[in-house]
Amino acid sequence: MLISAEDIRGYTLQGRDGGFGKIRDLIFNDGDWRVRFAVVDTGGWLDRHEVIVAPHHLGSPDLDSETIPVDLDRKTLEASPERETAH
């Protein structure tokens, strides 16, 4: 399925232990335009905490529920590298 990056912004990640974090952005490889990382905001509305997640952890988006399954739990996601580390 082909879906635009703009369409999945704001989708909630659905992990092993529930829903957590929202897709904030995607980082692309400038050579072949594949998704290099998803930027996920794991903080609240006042305390943004953006981490990066490799695309192999992401499942297919569910357009009806606006969720994306991930093979991670909350603790692992929150311990992921911060956005600033993505080069």
Side-chain angles (χ1 to χ4, degrees):
M1 166 185 359
L2 198 55
I3 185 169
S4 77
E6 189 64 34
D7 288 343
I8 64 168
R9 273 200 186 118
Y11 275 34
T12 300
L13 296 186
Q14 187 66 39
R16 294 182 193 148
D17 55 354
F20 48 81
K22 294 192 179 287
I23 297 288
R24 174 69 72 192
D25 206 354
L26 297 174
I27 298 172
F28 293 89
N29 182 327
D30 61 358
D32 60 10
W33 288 99
R34 290 181 190 229
V35 173
R36 187 168 171 202
F37 298 109
V39 178
V40 178
D41 186 353
T42 64
W45 67 282
L46 282 178
D47 60 340
R48 184 179 290 179
H49 178 235
E50 293 182 341
V51 297
I52 56 174
V53 177
H56 67 267
H57 291 294
L58 305 173
S60 295
D62 183 322
L63 304 180
D64 294 329
S65 66
E66 296 188 353
T67 60
I68 299 175
V70 292
D71 64 352
L72 302 170
D73 58 26
R74 179 184 301 272
K75 184 177 177 181
T76 304
L77 179 71
E78 289 176 349
S80 295
E82 302 238 352
R83 179 183 189 148
E84 292 80 30
T85 63
H87 296 358

